Amino acid sequence: MSDSNQQTITLRVRYDECDPMGFVHHSNYLRYFEIGRTEFLRSAGGRYRDVEEAGLFVVVIHIDCRYRMSAKYDDEIQLTTRIARVTAAKIIHEYEIHRDGQILVEATVTLAVIDREGRLQRVPESLIQ
């Protein structure tokens, strides 16, 4: 599913993403969010590579994540990435990860844009659109 404000993609949990108990290690959900952001931008015709070549970098400055249930090895999960808000200096995404219609994880990630020297920059139009 995709519209101008959100996108849902399907991922399959790989063996190396799981802990010894067979559950997705909590840190891997952050990787899933990164995949969601990247694919969302790509579906809109953009690429982070182009932003970086222009001398700007999109960095995570805050994460709020709620783990409700665990995904397991070989599960097919749906990741919804949504743009919650864009300000002059920040992009806020919301995420939901589902399996079989049940919410596993909910998160909000706040991003900022910096230049090569680490100075805060305005969110470029290419990321807003």
Side-chain angles (χ1 to χ4, degrees):
M1 177 182 87
S2 180
D3 67 32
S4 63
N5 194 48
Q6 74 177 28
Q7 178 187 50
T8 299
I9 61 174
T10 299
L11 302 170
R12 184 163 306 273
V13 175
R14 298 178 311 209
Y15 186 79
D16 68 321
E17 296 167 339
C18 297
D19 61 22
M21 296 176 290
F23 298 112
V24 171
H25 189 271
H26 65 275
S27 65
N28 285 305
Y29 291 103
L30 303 181
R31 292 176 191 224
Y32 297 157
F33 303 153
E34 181 74 25
I35 292 168
R37 281 193 300 278
T38 300
E39 293 306 317
F40 186 43
L41 180 59
R42 188 183 323 279
S43 74
R47 297 183 319 166
Y48 277 117
R49 175 187 292 176
D50 296 336
V51 175
E52 290 179 357
E53 287 174 357
L56 299 174
F57 300 90
V58 181
V59 296
V60 173
I61 60 171
H62 182 82
I63 297 173
D64 182 22
C65 190
R66 179 166 183 177
Y67 301 97
R68 295 179 175 269
M69 297 176 66
S70 296
K72 300 175 188 168
Y73 169 61
D74 206 39
D75 280 353
E76 192 172 83
I77 56 176
Q78 288 71 47
L79 166 62
T80 299
T81 304
R82 179 179 309 106
I83 298 174
R85 201 165 120 219
V86 178
T87 70
K90 297 179 196 170
I91 305 168
I92 301 169
H93 287 92
E94 295 174 338
Y95 302 89
E96 288 183 356
I97 294 179
H98 293 84
R99 179 191 58 226
D100 301 325
Q102 293 185 302
I103 294 177
L104 305 180
V105 178
E106 296 173 290
T108 302
V109 175
T110 304
L111 308 167
V113 179
I114 60 172
D115 64 14
R116 293 188 193 282
E117 287 75 41
R119 293 183 301 246
L120 191 61
Q121 302 294 305
R122 293 184 69 80
V123 175
E125 259 324 292
S126 63
L127 291 180
I128 294 172
Q129 297 175 3

